[in-house]
Amino acid sequence: MRLEPLLKAEITLAAPQEVGDTPHGRRRVIPITGGSFDRALIYVRNFGYRHGPAEVIRRLAAGEPVDPALYYMRTTPRFETGAERYRWLNGLICVATGARRAAAVELEVFAVQ
């Protein structure tokens, strides 16, 4: 198994909506407010975890710049499209590493080969 770079993205975000503590951990929904793709419409569903030392998470929540090496942020994006040119995305398993910024998230996505 190997990881092949697929894409890098910077996605602007709205303020988080706190769902609260659930059986699967603390849940937050963070609406996407910007970013861009050219050409085909691609649906993305992304699940992930971000955790680290309490002080680091507090600083992230306050919008302070924090080195991504100080916390764990990984996601598993899934892609769906009807566009013939990008149908190959429908069959990929991907993993991503991320960095949270004040009003954005940066993702580096890799296809699992």
Side-chain angles (χ1 to χ4, degrees):
M1 183 168 42
R2 71 182 195 291
L3 299 179
E4 183 176 301
L6 182 63
L7 66 96
K8 290 183 181 181
E10 182 174 328
I11 303 154
T12 57
L13 306 171
Q17 299 170 356
E18 298 290 338
V19 175
D21 292 324
T22 74
H24 300 286
R26 185 177 185 125
R27 293 277 191 191
R28 303 170 89 199
V29 175
I30 306 173
I32 293 173
T33 60
S36 65
F37 262 95
D38 291 331
R39 297 180 307 272
L41 184 61
I42 301 171
Y43 173 72
V44 180
R45 203 166 75 170
N46 201 17
F47 297 94
Y49 293 104
R50 184 186 72 202
H51 55 79
E55 178 59 21
V56 170
I57 299 304
R58 184 202 64 74
R59 290 176 53 211
L60 284 171
E64 296 177 21
V66 177
D67 181 347
L70 298 177
Y71 57 94
Y72 180 91
M73 184 172 173
R74 303 292 185 270
T75 70
T76 55
R78 297 290 305 260
F79 302 96
E80 289 182 44
T81 186
E84 188 62 39
R85 182 175 181 181
Y86 297 105
R87 283 191 189 267
W88 58 273
L89 286 171
N90 295 328
L92 287 183
I93 296 293
C94 296
V95 295
T97 184
R100 184 67 160 98
R101 305 298 179 213
V105 67
E106 295 171 1
L107 295 176
E108 190 169 356
V109 180
F110 300 87
V112 179
Q113 301 295 329

